[in-house]
Amino acid sequence: MKKLLILSILILASCSNKKEVKHVADISCGQCQFELDSEAGCSLAVKIDDKAYFVDGFNIDDFGDAHDENIGFCNVVRKAEIVGVLEDGRFVASAITLVE
C-alpha cells in the first residue's frame, strides 16, 4: 500500500511540472516594439506564436544597452533561442541566446 501511495504521488508531481519549450523567437522591448502596456518602462519580451509575453529571469539590459540605435531592444526586434515555460501570462526563461 505504501508503494502504491508513493507511486501515485510521484505520478501526480510529474504531471504538474510544466515542460520547458525551446525554439527561436522574436525578442525585444515589450512596450516599444510589441505594444504591451501592462508594465511601466521598458521590459524584455518575447513573441511566441504571434503573441507577446514579458520575460522573467532576464533583464532588457542583460544583452547591452536597450536604447542603442542599432542593436537595442527598444529600437529593433532580434531573434533568440529561448528556453523556458509560459506561466501566468509570462515567459519564465531559463536560457536566452541571441542568434543574430
Side-chain angles (χ1 to χ4, degrees):
M1 189 67 176
K2 284 183 182 179
K3 288 181 183 179
L4 183 58
L5 179 62
I6 291 172
L7 182 60
S8 298
I9 291 171
L10 288 174
I11 289 172
L12 288 174
S14 68
C15 290
S16 67
N17 289 342
K18 296 182 180 181
K19 186 172 182 179
E20 285 192 330
V21 296
K22 177 181 177 181
H23 63 280
V24 175
D26 288 340
I27 186 169
S28 196
C29 176
Q31 292 85 343
C32 298
Q33 297 294 324
F34 295 150
E35 300 178 9
L36 295 175
D37 60 6
S38 60
E39 286 186 9
C42 294
S43 303
L44 191 62
V46 295
K47 192 174 268 193
I48 301 170
D49 296 329
D50 294 322
K51 182 162 172 44
Y53 302 92
F54 284 117
V55 173
D56 291 331
F58 288 83
N59 187 289
I60 194 165
D61 289 316
D62 288 346
F63 303 92
D65 180 9
H67 295 101
D68 181 276
E69 195 172 301
N70 298 311
I71 62 167
F73 287 132
C74 291
N75 295 307
V76 296
V77 176
R78 301 174 72 184
K79 293 281 186 192
E81 182 178 83
I82 59 172
V83 180
V85 296
L86 287 174
E87 190 172 287
D88 298 325
R90 299 178 69 89
F91 186 75
V92 181
S94 59
I96 296 176
T97 306
L98 296 175
V99 295
E100 289 185 37

